[in-house]
Amino acid sequence: MGTLTYCFIVAGNMTLILSITLNRSLHKPMYLMLLNLPVNDLMGASAFFPQLISSIALDDRSISSAACFLQGLLVHLYGGGNFIILSGMAYDRFLAICRPLSYSTLMSNAYVLKIVVAMWLTDLVLISALFSLLSRLWFCKTSINAMICNNPSLVNLICGDTRINNYYGLFLSSLMNGISLIAVIFTYVHILVACLTNKQSDTRSKALRTCGTHLTVFLVFQVFTLLTVLSFRFRQSLDIPPSQAYAAIIMATLTYCFIIAGNMTIILCITLNRSLHKPMYLMLLNLLVNDLIGATLFFPQLISGIALEDRSVYCASCVLQAMMVHVYAGGDYVILTAMAYDRFLAICRPLRYGVMMSRANLLKVVLAIVVTDLAVVSPLYCLLARLRLCGNSITDMYCNNASLLKLACGDTAVNNYYGIFVAAFLQGMSLMAVIFTYVQILVACLANKQSDTKSKALRTCGTHLTVFLVFQVTTMFKVLAHRFNQVSPYLRRAAGVSIFLLPPIVNPLIYGLNTKEIRNIKQELLVFNFSVGLGHVERLWKNIPSCNTIFLKK
């Protein structure tokens, strides 16, 4: 599995690198900036996978201190590099859309080269300072509680005063995350204003489409790194100091509100617009509703736990939450599989699509999704109900089957076997269905001579495939983190939380920005609201009594 994953990463990134370097038509600022991203990703993957594969093959988890130090340096260079490169790409999109007339002059090849050199030098200077502070200290321990060498794990091996290291590490994390976040917010606010004031719909559509890819990649990386940093900063499941409780509550509340707003926007676009009452969008509707259920299972309980400083939960409530969590995860798999089947029929059986995906058949598909999900997940908790729970503390930040099973005192072999079967069935079934679907679609696209048809097919399928891969990787990481006890509990918690963060945040962004019909409706709504708001401001201004000077009483 590790070797195949590494080969897939190398092949994908090298294909992108060679496509840009060998094709002179792609020697443009946007693609030259993009070229740095796969190079950085290859460095990050090469810092992790070869060492992991050799450790498993040789059954030896030891590593020399110099190699561990080098691996930690490369891992942090990769993480910081991604933030800086994505910030540079946001600046490029800002100039391309908001300063189109001066774009060629501002982003000349010489200037792009200066930006690239500045990005790598900034990353190298900031990270080198972190490990220079580390090299001055003495290591008195030899075992790290993580699958990879990194600064927090190495700092835990030190017996001396590590306050300077901790302060600089926190400063560096805040700087990288903060600068990139501010740069992206600044960029997309200006891009949004430019799109709303631009009357050419093609220009708006192209701008949002090119920016959607960058924004999705940025958010995925931002969420993953934030989870990793927080999981190392807070050792216990919710060990948040009182001074930081308000910040944590605000952050969790804003994240939950953002998820609700994003998903509800697409849901309302589909339900209120009859032109979107088609099988593909009605399938998408189920996915977004399921994502809202998943986020609601996690965030309200997390926020109330922080606010009330009470992490206790009734056993019945914990079991119910755990069951609904698995219904949510299984539902996403089944829905994404059904969406893949819908795309297969639309592209490979276009003449029969209207008959095969009629409203009656679509209703049957939706009912089959719900029944399959409940039928697979329910036995998992029927098996759990027969056991006696003799523990009362779980390691995760929410209730789930794996954590509850660790509290049981009896024989859990049957539960483990069925749990593995459920994970293998849901992930395996969806993976095989998607592979079969996309092989058929690829053959159909290659056989079809109409370029417009191929372009439309690949665009609509690319959106679904991106969403599927994000959820597949997230859930697979979570399942493996619980199956192997050697995995750091901090990393396990971060993986567990990511299934409530990434899909609900990424799905509406991907579909909202990359699906033409939804994107056009959202643009019309934004323009309408913007115009109405300006009208209100204008009327309010006219109603203010006119005068030249206002004197205040002494």
Side-chain angles (χ1 to χ4, degrees), residues 98 127 186 209 279 392 498 531:
C98 301
I127 302 301
F186 171 84
R209 187 170 64 252
N392 60 6
S498 64
S531 302

Side-chain angles (χ1 to χ4, degrees), residues 73 93 139 170 233 394 512 525:
L73 178 65
R93 290 299 82 206
F139 294 93
L170 190 59
R233 291 289 169 187
I394 61 175
L525 289 173

Side-chain angles (χ1 to χ4, degrees), residues 17 43 107-108 133 144 152 166 175 211 222 256 345 362 367 380 395 411 441 464 517 530:
I17 291 169
M43 180 179 70
M107 292 298 285
S108 62
L133 290 172
I144 61 174
N166 286 324
L175 180 70
C211 294
Q222 185 86 4
Y256 185 47
L345 292 179
L362 182 62
L367 288 175
L380 195 66
T395 57
D411 185 9
I441 289 172
H464 169 266
E517 291 82 358
F530 191 68

